[in-house]
Amino acid sequence: MDIARAPEGEASTAPAPADAGPSPSAFGRKVRSAARWSLINTVVLRLGNFATGIVLARFALGPAEWGVYGIAQTVLLVLLSANELGVGLAIVRWEGDARRFAPTVLTLSTLSSGLLYVALFAAAPALGGLLGSPNATEVLRVMCLCVVIDGVAQVPGGFLTREFAQGKRMIIDALNFVTGTAVTLLLAFAGWGAMSFAVGAVVGNVVTLIGCWLAAPGTLKYGWDPGQARALLRFGLPLAGASMLALAVVNVDTMVAGATLGSVSLGFYVLAFNISGWPVRIISEAARRVSFAGFSRLAETPGALAQGFSRALGVLITGTVPLCVLLAGLAEPVVRLVYGSQWTPAAAALPWLMVLGLIRIGSELAYDCLVAVGQRRSLFLVQGLWLVALIPVLLVAARLNGVVGVSQGHVLVAGGLVVPVFLVALRRGGIGLGLIARACGWPFLGGAVMTVLVLGLRQPFGDGPLGLAAVCAVALAGYAVCVWPSRGFLRGRPPAAVPVPPARPDMR
């Protein structure tokens, strides 16, 4: 059964097949426009978050407060991965008039997110103690109110994603950032500590809900159709499970660091992990706002899907490699210059976490592609294997080498085990190793050249602002020369010699 349609015998309860869609050229223009808006949105917001983090780390909060915040953020992200049982994705993926089944989606999403919050509220004291932050109880209870707000916002937000309305989403996210950040800063300087993050996050999410409702009017209507609910749960539950596994993989290190190393070491690790996430958030988040919808439109055309994935991967890796290399090679002076000398212990973990960040970008794009083509079984296997292998490795690594060991364990499992499994899953979905190698070859060569330049020039140029700027400029110039031959491919003109699989096996 195609995941975009209802099971046999329930055709009347699920969305009907869509009419003929836009022409390929019109669709391409729509995706490119959405991608541009999404990239602008993400860059602006992340730069704002970056500046806010600097102010808070330098003048308001210490490592212990960052540790408590890291625990609360981790729990929130894991809950958000499955708070609406995966049914919200149906707004983006299913064909036909989404308004027919949106009321049922909204009811399911609100009920499930509400029940999750009730469970979290009761478990917060035990959870904080287990993760090494017993004083995180109230922060958890306040911050995870975002779970309920996000559950309600899934439907109007899904309509904006479905229509590639990233210009409207940029305005909404900007309002979220301005209001949430203002509240966080005011409370932090008033002495609220980690609670300032929680209250700011709740205020920002309320603004997002109101904004999505205004941008997609008529979508916040509750309703219930048992047939639609059954079809939606069959579609969403596997995706919610896979998404929760994916978030657990990314955030289990925070839990391990908190439980084994204490809140201060956790604070250093959280800062390093947040820095390593700059490329992931700026580039990968912008792409993921359109990648799932785009891959879903190409899911029934294997050749176009394979080429689209390869080009998207090439663009992401090309844009991310230089950021990863610079942050890894200049970790200690960058942390000291930006955040102050009190945070330099965080720099030791940063080079390894930058490698992990690069792996995350590729795996997240692969995840979206596998979801779009219905490879749910493969997703469960990959994410489950990743988590099962990661937990014991991180526990041992944390005790052997502290926060550096945690970051090294992450890279060991991700690069040595998970990347090969993802490649196999993509191959079974019709995307061959040749296309992936074509996308990554030139950027990886450029990254190697950049690494040599950064390591060779750092000592003679020094660690001052001007010296760092000079090293970055020379290294980026070397990278540009290396990736220049791939410009045609990145613009959408792959060489004819690259084979495209003739068909995609049905593994759903």
PDB file of all heavy atoms in Angstrom, residues 55-92:
ATOM      1  N   VAL A  55      25.860  36.281  24.885  1.00  0.00           N
ATOM      2  CA  VAL A  55      25.511  37.206  25.964  1.00  0.00           C
ATOM      3  C   VAL A  55      25.215  36.443  27.255  1.00  0.00           C
ATOM      4  O   VAL A  55      25.705  36.791  28.339  1.00  0.00           O
ATOM      5  CB  VAL A  55      24.307  38.069  25.554  1.00  0.00           C
ATOM      6  CG1 VAL A  55      23.811  38.903  26.736  1.00  0.00           C
ATOM      7  CG2 VAL A  55      24.682  38.977  24.394  1.00  0.00           C
ATOM      8  N   LEU A  56      24.426  35.381  27.143  1.00  0.00           N
ATOM      9  CA  LEU A  56      24.061  34.617  28.343  1.00  0.00           C
ATOM     10  C   LEU A  56      25.271  33.921  28.957  1.00  0.00           C
ATOM     11  O   LEU A  56      25.433  33.906  30.185  1.00  0.00           O
ATOM     12  CB  LEU A  56      22.986  33.590  27.983  1.00  0.00           C
ATOM     13  CG  LEU A  56      21.603  34.160  27.649  1.00  0.00           C
ATOM     14  CD1 LEU A  56      20.688  33.057  27.120  1.00  0.00           C
ATOM     15  CD2 LEU A  56      20.980  34.819  28.866  1.00  0.00           C
ATOM     16  N   ALA A  57      26.119  33.319  28.116  1.00  0.00           N
ATOM     17  CA  ALA A  57      27.278  32.593  28.644  1.00  0.00           C
ATOM     18  C   ALA A  57      28.304  33.526  29.270  1.00  0.00           C
ATOM     19  O   ALA A  57      28.967  33.179  30.252  1.00  0.00           O
ATOM     20  CB  ALA A  57      27.924  31.771  27.532  1.00  0.00           C
ATOM     21  N   ARG A  58      28.465  34.714  28.710  1.00  0.00           N
ATOM     22  CA  ARG A  58      29.472  35.642  29.224  1.00  0.00           C
ATOM     23  C   ARG A  58      29.005  36.390  30.476  1.00  0.00           C
ATOM     24  O   ARG A  58      29.797  36.676  31.371  1.00  0.00           O
ATOM     25  CB  ARG A  58      29.842  36.658  28.137  1.00  0.00           C
ATOM     26  CG  ARG A  58      30.927  36.180  27.178  1.00  0.00           C
ATOM     27  CD  ARG A  58      31.358  37.301  26.257  1.00  0.00           C
ATOM     28  NE  ARG A  58      32.544  36.942  25.487  1.00  0.00           N
ATOM     29  CZ  ARG A  58      33.791  37.124  25.888  1.00  0.00           C
ATOM     30  NH1 ARG A  58      34.023  37.662  27.076  1.00  0.00           N
ATOM     31  NH2 ARG A  58      34.802  36.787  25.134  1.00  0.00           N
ATOM     32  N   PHE A  59      27.712  36.725  30.547  1.00  0.00           N
ATOM     33  CA  PHE A  59      27.289  37.688  31.559  1.00  0.00           C
ATOM     34  C   PHE A  59      26.198  37.195  32.515  1.00  0.00           C
ATOM     35  O   PHE A  59      25.953  37.845  33.531  1.00  0.00           O
ATOM     36  CB  PHE A  59      26.781  38.972  30.878  1.00  0.00           C
ATOM     37  CG  PHE A  59      27.766  39.586  29.928  1.00  0.00           C
ATOM     38  CD1 PHE A  59      27.520  39.596  28.571  1.00  0.00           C
ATOM     39  CD2 PHE A  59      28.946  40.143  30.401  1.00  0.00           C
ATOM     40  CE1 PHE A  59      28.424  40.169  27.685  1.00  0.00           C
ATOM     41  CE2 PHE A  59      29.857  40.721  29.531  1.00  0.00           C
ATOM     42  CZ  PHE A  59      29.600  40.730  28.166  1.00  0.00           C
ATOM     43  N   ALA A  60      25.533  36.075  32.203  1.00  0.00           N
ATOM     44  CA  ALA A  60      24.374  35.725  33.031  1.00  0.00           C
ATOM     45  C   ALA A  60      24.395  34.314  33.590  1.00  0.00           C
ATOM     46  O   ALA A  60      23.997  34.109  34.735  1.00  0.00           O
ATOM     47  CB  ALA A  60      23.076  35.935  32.226  1.00  0.00           C
ATOM     48  N   LEU A  61      24.839  33.329  32.818  1.00  0.00           N
ATOM     49  CA  LEU A  61      24.701  31.936  33.224  1.00  0.00           C
ATOM     50  C   LEU A  61      26.047  31.226  33.198  1.00  0.00           C
ATOM     51  O   LEU A  61      26.891  31.492  32.339  1.00  0.00           O
ATOM     52  CB  LEU A  61      23.723  31.203  32.300  1.00  0.00           C
ATOM     53  CG  LEU A  61      22.311  31.797  32.196  1.00  0.00           C
ATOM     54  CD1 LEU A  61      21.487  31.019  31.175  1.00  0.00           C
ATOM     55  CD2 LEU A  61      21.627  31.790  33.545  1.00  0.00           C
ATOM     56  N   GLY A  62      26.240  30.293  34.139  1.00  0.00           N
ATOM     57  CA  GLY A  62      27.453  29.500  34.194  1.00  0.00           C
ATOM     58  C   GLY A  62      27.231  28.092  33.690  1.00  0.00           C
ATOM     59  O   GLY A  62      26.119  27.727  33.284  1.00  0.00           O
ATOM     60  N   PRO A  63      28.273  27.250  33.717  1.00  0.00           N
ATOM     61  CA  PRO A  63      28.152  25.878  33.207  1.00  0.00           C
ATOM     62  C   PRO A  63      27.059  25.062  33.883  1.00  0.00           C
ATOM     63  O   PRO A  63      26.391  24.259  33.224  1.00  0.00           O
ATOM     64  CB  PRO A  63      29.541  25.288  33.490  1.00  0.00           C
ATOM     65  CG  PRO A  63      30.461  26.466  33.519  1.00  0.00           C
ATOM     66  CD  PRO A  63      29.660  27.578  34.110  1.00  0.00           C
ATOM     67  N   ALA A  64      26.845  25.238  35.193  1.00  0.00           N
ATOM     68  CA  ALA A  64      25.812  24.445  35.875  1.00  0.00           C
ATOM     69  C   ALA A  64      24.426  24.766  35.324  1.00  0.00           C
ATOM     70  O   ALA A  64      23.604  23.859  35.095  1.00  0.00           O
ATOM     71  CB  ALA A  64      25.857  24.712  37.380  1.00  0.00           C
ATOM     72  N   GLU A  65      24.136  26.067  35.093  1.00  0.00           N
ATOM     73  CA  GLU A  65      22.832  26.448  34.531  1.00  0.00           C
ATOM     74  C   GLU A  65      22.671  25.919  33.106  1.00  0.00           C
ATOM     75  O   GLU A  65      21.583  25.476  32.713  1.00  0.00           O
ATOM     76  CB  GLU A  65      22.673  27.967  34.540  1.00  0.00           C
ATOM     77  CG  GLU A  65      22.431  28.572  35.902  1.00  0.00           C
ATOM     78  CD  GLU A  65      23.722  28.787  36.673  1.00  0.00           C
ATOM     79  OE1 GLU A  65      24.815  28.524  36.113  1.00  0.00           O
ATOM     80  OE2 GLU A  65      23.648  29.207  37.849  1.00  0.00           O
ATOM     81  N   TRP A  66      23.766  25.952  32.333  1.00  0.00           N
ATOM     82  CA  TRP A  66      23.700  25.392  30.988  1.00  0.00           C
ATOM     83  C   TRP A  66      23.449  23.893  31.036  1.00  0.00           C
ATOM     84  O   TRP A  66      22.783  23.324  30.166  1.00  0.00           O
ATOM     85  CB  TRP A  66      25.007  25.684  30.238  1.00  0.00           C
ATOM     86  CG  TRP A  66      25.041  27.052  29.626  1.00  0.00           C
ATOM     87  CD1 TRP A  66      25.576  28.163  30.173  1.00  0.00           C
ATOM     88  CD2 TRP A  66      24.510  27.449  28.352  1.00  0.00           C
ATOM     89  NE1 TRP A  66      25.415  29.230  29.330  1.00  0.00           N
ATOM     90  CE2 TRP A  66      24.776  28.822  28.204  1.00  0.00           C
ATOM     91  CE3 TRP A  66      23.855  26.778  27.331  1.00  0.00           C
ATOM     92  CZ2 TRP A  66      24.391  29.547  27.069  1.00  0.00           C
ATOM     93  CZ3 TRP A  66      23.472  27.489  26.200  1.00  0.00           C
ATOM     94  CH2 TRP A  66      23.742  28.851  26.074  1.00  0.00           C
ATOM     95  N   GLY A  67      23.992  23.227  32.048  1.00  0.00           N
ATOM     96  CA  GLY A  67      23.752  21.801  32.188  1.00  0.00           C
ATOM     97  C   GLY A  67      22.285  21.487  32.437  1.00  0.00           C
ATOM     98  O   GLY A  67      21.719  20.568  31.838  1.00  0.00           O
ATOM     99  N   VAL A  68      21.646  22.252  33.346  1.00  0.00           N
ATOM    100  CA  VAL A  68      20.219  22.054  33.617  1.00  0.00           C
ATOM    101  C   VAL A  68      19.402  22.329  32.355  1.00  0.00           C
ATOM    102  O   VAL A  68      18.478  21.582  32.012  1.00  0.00           O
ATOM    103  CB  VAL A  68      19.756  22.971  34.769  1.00  0.00           C
ATOM    104  CG1 VAL A  68      18.233  22.901  34.937  1.00  0.00           C
ATOM    105  CG2 VAL A  68      20.443  22.576  36.061  1.00  0.00           C
ATOM    106  N   TYR A  69      19.756  23.401  31.662  1.00  0.00           N
ATOM    107  CA  TYR A  69      19.071  23.709  30.409  1.00  0.00           C
ATOM    108  C   TYR A  69      19.244  22.585  29.396  1.00  0.00           C
ATOM    109  O   TYR A  69      18.297  22.219  28.678  1.00  0.00           O
ATOM    110  CB  TYR A  69      19.617  25.022  29.840  1.00  0.00           C
ATOM    111  CG  TYR A  69      19.315  25.232  28.377  1.00  0.00           C
ATOM    112  CD1 TYR A  69      18.012  25.385  27.929  1.00  0.00           C
ATOM    113  CD2 TYR A  69      20.345  25.272  27.433  1.00  0.00           C
ATOM    114  CE1 TYR A  69      17.734  25.578  26.583  1.00  0.00           C
ATOM    115  CE2 TYR A  69      20.081  25.475  26.094  1.00  0.00           C
ATOM    116  CZ  TYR A  69      18.772  25.622  25.670  1.00  0.00           C
ATOM    117  OH  TYR A  69      18.514  25.801  24.346  1.00  0.00           O
ATOM    118  N   GLY A  70      20.454  22.017  29.336  1.00  0.00           N
ATOM    119  CA  GLY A  70      20.697  20.930  28.389  1.00  0.00           C
ATOM    120  C   GLY A  70      19.823  19.724  28.669  1.00  0.00           C
ATOM    121  O   GLY A  70      19.290  19.091  27.740  1.00  0.00           O
ATOM    122  N   ILE A  71      19.630  19.389  29.947  1.00  0.00           N
ATOM    123  CA  ILE A  71      18.760  18.273  30.303  1.00  0.00           C
ATOM    124  C   ILE A  71      17.327  18.561  29.873  1.00  0.00           C
ATOM    125  O   ILE A  71      16.660  17.719  29.256  1.00  0.00           O
ATOM    126  CB  ILE A  71      18.815  18.015  31.820  1.00  0.00           C
ATOM    127  CG1 ILE A  71      20.173  17.420  32.202  1.00  0.00           C
ATOM    128  CG2 ILE A  71      17.690  17.086  32.256  1.00  0.00           C
ATOM    129  CD1 ILE A  71      20.438  16.048  31.640  1.00  0.00           C
ATOM    130  N   ALA A  72      16.821  19.756  30.190  1.00  0.00           N
ATOM    131  CA  ALA A  72      15.442  20.104  29.837  1.00  0.00           C
ATOM    132  C   ALA A  72      15.247  20.121  28.327  1.00  0.00           C
ATOM    133  O   ALA A  72      14.232  19.632  27.807  1.00  0.00           O
ATOM    134  CB  ALA A  72      15.081  21.465  30.440  1.00  0.00           C
ATOM    135  N   GLN A  73      16.219  20.678  27.614  1.00  0.00           N
ATOM    136  CA  GLN A  73      16.120  20.723  26.155  1.00  0.00           C
ATOM    137  C   GLN A  73      16.121  19.319  25.553  1.00  0.00           C
ATOM    138  O   GLN A  73      15.371  19.035  24.612  1.00  0.00           O
ATOM    139  CB  GLN A  73      17.277  21.540  25.588  1.00  0.00           C
ATOM    140  CG  GLN A  73      17.235  21.710  24.074  1.00  0.00           C
ATOM    141  CD  GLN A  73      18.477  22.406  23.553  1.00  0.00           C
ATOM    142  OE1 GLN A  73      19.596  22.044  23.906  1.00  0.00           O
ATOM    143  NE2 GLN A  73      18.293  23.411  22.722  1.00  0.00           N
ATOM    144  N   THR A  74      16.940  18.449  26.101  1.00  0.00           N
ATOM    145  CA  THR A  74      17.002  17.079  25.594  1.00  0.00           C
ATOM    146  C   THR A  74      15.673  16.360  25.763  1.00  0.00           C
ATOM    147  O   THR A  74      15.150  15.734  24.821  1.00  0.00           O
ATOM    148  CB  THR A  74      18.104  16.301  26.327  1.00  0.00           C
ATOM    149  OG1 THR A  74      19.365  16.911  26.050  1.00  0.00           O
ATOM    150  CG2 THR A  74      18.142  14.847  25.887  1.00  0.00           C
ATOM    151  N   VAL A  75      15.099  16.444  26.958  1.00  0.00           N
ATOM    152  CA  VAL A  75      13.809  15.798  27.204  1.00  0.00           C
ATOM    153  C   VAL A  75      12.741  16.383  26.289  1.00  0.00           C
ATOM    154  O   VAL A  75      11.923  15.647  25.705  1.00  0.00           O
ATOM    155  CB  VAL A  75      13.405  15.953  28.679  1.00  0.00           C
ATOM    156  CG1 VAL A  75      11.997  15.423  28.919  1.00  0.00           C
ATOM    157  CG2 VAL A  75      14.404  15.229  29.573  1.00  0.00           C
ATOM    158  N   LEU A  76      12.748  17.698  26.122  1.00  0.00           N
ATOM    159  CA  LEU A  76      11.760  18.336  25.259  1.00  0.00           C
ATOM    160  C   LEU A  76      11.875  17.852  23.819  1.00  0.00           C
ATOM    161  O   LEU A  76      10.864  17.525  23.169  1.00  0.00           O
ATOM    162  CB  LEU A  76      11.946  19.857  25.309  1.00  0.00           C
ATOM    163  CG  LEU A  76      11.084  20.672  24.338  1.00  0.00           C
ATOM    164  CD1 LEU A  76       9.606  20.480  24.642  1.00  0.00           C
ATOM    165  CD2 LEU A  76      11.462  22.157  24.403  1.00  0.00           C
ATOM    166  N   LEU A  77      13.092  17.781  23.295  1.00  0.00           N
ATOM    167  CA  LEU A  77      13.267  17.360  21.903  1.00  0.00           C
ATOM    168  C   LEU A  77      12.806  15.926  21.686  1.00  0.00           C
ATOM    169  O   LEU A  77      12.189  15.617  20.663  1.00  0.00           O
ATOM    170  CB  LEU A  77      14.735  17.511  21.500  1.00  0.00           C
ATOM    171  CG  LEU A  77      15.246  18.944  21.348  1.00  0.00           C
ATOM    172  CD1 LEU A  77      16.742  18.952  21.075  1.00  0.00           C
ATOM    173  CD2 LEU A  77      14.502  19.670  20.233  1.00  0.00           C
ATOM    174  N   VAL A  78      13.100  15.053  22.638  1.00  0.00           N
ATOM    175  CA  VAL A  78      12.656  13.668  22.502  1.00  0.00           C
ATOM    176  C   VAL A  78      11.128  13.587  22.512  1.00  0.00           C
ATOM    177  O   VAL A  78      10.523  12.866  21.707  1.00  0.00           O
ATOM    178  CB  VAL A  78      13.258  12.791  23.617  1.00  0.00           C
ATOM    179  CG1 VAL A  78      12.653  11.397  23.587  1.00  0.00           C
ATOM    180  CG2 VAL A  78      14.776  12.706  23.463  1.00  0.00           C
ATOM    181  N   LEU A  79      10.488  14.342  23.393  1.00  0.00           N
ATOM    182  CA  LEU A  79       9.026  14.330  23.432  1.00  0.00           C
ATOM    183  C   LEU A  79       8.432  14.933  22.162  1.00  0.00           C
ATOM    184  O   LEU A  79       7.429  14.442  21.640  1.00  0.00           O
ATOM    185  CB  LEU A  79       8.535  15.107  24.655  1.00  0.00           C
ATOM    186  CG  LEU A  79       8.845  14.501  26.027  1.00  0.00           C
ATOM    187  CD1 LEU A  79       8.289  15.385  27.125  1.00  0.00           C
ATOM    188  CD2 LEU A  79       8.289  13.097  26.139  1.00  0.00           C
ATOM    189  N   LEU A  80       9.043  15.991  21.653  1.00  0.00           N
ATOM    190  CA  LEU A  80       8.538  16.614  20.435  1.00  0.00           C
ATOM    191  C   LEU A  80       8.625  15.692  19.230  1.00  0.00           C
ATOM    192  O   LEU A  80       7.873  15.838  18.266  1.00  0.00           O
ATOM    193  CB  LEU A  80       9.308  17.905  20.143  1.00  0.00           C
ATOM    194  CG  LEU A  80       9.006  19.107  21.037  1.00  0.00           C
ATOM    195  CD1 LEU A  80       9.923  20.275  20.679  1.00  0.00           C
ATOM    196  CD2 LEU A  80       7.551  19.530  20.915  1.00  0.00           C
ATOM    197  N   SER A  81       9.541  14.734  19.264  1.00  0.00           N
ATOM    198  CA  SER A  81       9.706  13.839  18.121  1.00  0.00           C
ATOM    199  C   SER A  81       8.500  12.942  17.906  1.00  0.00           C
ATOM    200  O   SER A  81       8.298  12.424  16.807  1.00  0.00           O
ATOM    201  CB  SER A  81      10.965  12.983  18.308  1.00  0.00           C
ATOM    202  OG  SER A  81      10.788  12.074  19.386  1.00  0.00           O
ATOM    203  N   ALA A  82       7.693  12.749  18.945  1.00  0.00           N
ATOM    204  CA  ALA A  82       6.549  11.845  18.807  1.00  0.00           C
ATOM    205  C   ALA A  82       5.303  12.389  19.491  1.00  0.00           C
ATOM    206  O   ALA A  82       4.367  11.635  19.737  1.00  0.00           O
ATOM    207  CB  ALA A  82       6.891  10.477  19.380  1.00  0.00           C
ATOM    208  N   ASN A  83       5.272  13.674  19.776  1.00  0.00           N
ATOM    209  CA  ASN A  83       4.145  14.196  20.554  1.00  0.00           C
ATOM    210  C   ASN A  83       2.822  14.137  19.794  1.00  0.00           C
ATOM    211  O   ASN A  83       1.759  14.115  20.397  1.00  0.00           O
ATOM    212  CB  ASN A  83       4.429  15.636  21.009  1.00  0.00           C
ATOM    213  CG  ASN A  83       4.451  16.617  19.851  1.00  0.00           C
ATOM    214  OD1 ASN A  83       5.010  16.333  18.805  1.00  0.00           O
ATOM    215  ND2 ASN A  83       3.856  17.777  20.030  1.00  0.00           N
ATOM    216  N   GLU A  84       2.869  14.100  18.447  1.00  0.00           N
ATOM    217  CA  GLU A  84       1.610  14.029  17.692  1.00  0.00           C
ATOM    218  C   GLU A  84       1.476  12.688  16.987  1.00  0.00           C
ATOM    219  O   GLU A  84       0.708  12.554  16.029  1.00  0.00           O
ATOM    220  CB  GLU A  84       1.493  15.193  16.708  1.00  0.00           C
ATOM    221  CG  GLU A  84       2.788  15.638  16.059  1.00  0.00           C
ATOM    222  CD  GLU A  84       3.320  14.666  15.021  1.00  0.00           C
ATOM    223  OE1 GLU A  84       2.724  14.552  13.944  1.00  0.00           O
ATOM    224  OE2 GLU A  84       4.331  14.002  15.302  1.00  0.00           O
ATOM    225  N   LEU A  85       2.221  11.675  17.453  1.00  0.00           N
ATOM    226  CA  LEU A  85       2.137  10.298  16.950  1.00  0.00           C
ATOM    227  C   LEU A  85       2.466  10.181  15.464  1.00  0.00           C
ATOM    228  O   LEU A  85       2.109   9.198  14.828  1.00  0.00           O
ATOM    229  CB  LEU A  85       0.734   9.720  17.208  1.00  0.00           C
ATOM    230  CG  LEU A  85       0.267   9.719  18.673  1.00  0.00           C
ATOM    231  CD1 LEU A  85      -1.128   9.130  18.762  1.00  0.00           C
ATOM    232  CD2 LEU A  85       1.240   8.950  19.556  1.00  0.00           C
ATOM    233  N   GLY A  86       3.141  11.174  14.912  1.00  0.00           N
ATOM    234  CA  GLY A  86       3.524  11.130  13.507  1.00  0.00           C
ATOM    235  C   GLY A  86       2.425  11.494  12.538  1.00  0.00           C
ATOM    236  O   GLY A  86       2.671  11.564  11.328  1.00  0.00           O
ATOM    237  N   VAL A  87       1.200  11.748  13.023  1.00  0.00           N
ATOM    238  CA  VAL A  87       0.095  12.001  12.099  1.00  0.00           C
ATOM    239  C   VAL A  87       0.196  13.378  11.456  1.00  0.00           C
ATOM    240  O   VAL A  87      -0.414  13.629  10.412  1.00  0.00           O
ATOM    241  CB  VAL A  87      -1.270  11.838  12.804  1.00  0.00           C
ATOM    242  CG1 VAL A  87      -1.438  10.418  13.302  1.00  0.00           C
ATOM    243  CG2 VAL A  87      -1.405  12.827  13.971  1.00  0.00           C
ATOM    244  N   GLY A  88       0.951  14.307  12.082  1.00  0.00           N
ATOM    245  CA  GLY A  88       1.098  15.625  11.493  1.00  0.00           C
ATOM    246  C   GLY A  88       1.750  15.588  10.118  1.00  0.00           C
ATOM    247  O   GLY A  88       1.481  16.440   9.267  1.00  0.00           O
ATOM    248  N   LEU A  89       2.618  14.594   9.893  1.00  0.00           N
ATOM    249  CA  LEU A  89       3.264  14.483   8.585  1.00  0.00           C
ATOM    250  C   LEU A  89       2.280  14.175   7.474  1.00  0.00           C
ATOM    251  O   LEU A  89       2.563  14.399   6.297  1.00  0.00           O
ATOM    252  CB  LEU A  89       4.344  13.403   8.625  1.00  0.00           C
ATOM    253  CG  LEU A  89       5.632  13.751   9.373  1.00  0.00           C
ATOM    254  CD1 LEU A  89       6.548  12.546   9.427  1.00  0.00           C
ATOM    255  CD2 LEU A  89       6.332  14.919   8.708  1.00  0.00           C
ATOM    256  N   ALA A  90       1.117  13.629   7.818  1.00  0.00           N
ATOM    257  CA  ALA A  90       0.110  13.344   6.796  1.00  0.00           C
ATOM    258  C   ALA A  90      -0.354  14.620   6.115  1.00  0.00           C
ATOM    259  O   ALA A  90      -0.725  14.598   4.934  1.00  0.00           O
ATOM    260  CB  ALA A  90      -1.082  12.615   7.414  1.00  0.00           C
ATOM    261  N   ILE A  91      -0.353  15.729   6.831  1.00  0.00           N
ATOM    262  CA  ILE A  91      -0.738  17.004   6.218  1.00  0.00           C
ATOM    263  C   ILE A  91       0.190  17.328   5.057  1.00  0.00           C
ATOM    264  O   ILE A  91      -0.232  17.855   4.022  1.00  0.00           O
ATOM    265  CB  ILE A  91      -0.706  18.140   7.256  1.00  0.00           C
ATOM    266  CG1 ILE A  91      -1.710  17.881   8.380  1.00  0.00           C
ATOM    267  CG2 ILE A  91      -0.976  19.490   6.608  1.00  0.00           C
ATOM    268  CD1 ILE A  91      -3.151  17.932   7.948  1.00  0.00           C
ATOM    269  N   VAL A  92       1.459  16.998   5.202  1.00  0.00           N
ATOM    270  CA  VAL A  92       2.442  17.287   4.158  1.00  0.00           C
ATOM    271  C   VAL A  92       2.450  16.203   3.080  1.00  0.00           C
ATOM    272  O   VAL A  92       2.516  16.500   1.889  1.00  0.00           O
ATOM    273  CB  VAL A  92       3.856  17.412   4.773  1.00  0.00           C
ATOM    274  CG1 VAL A  92       4.897  17.735   3.705  1.00  0.00           C
ATOM    275  CG2 VAL A  92       3.868  18.474   5.860  1.00  0.00           C
TER     276      VAL A  92
END
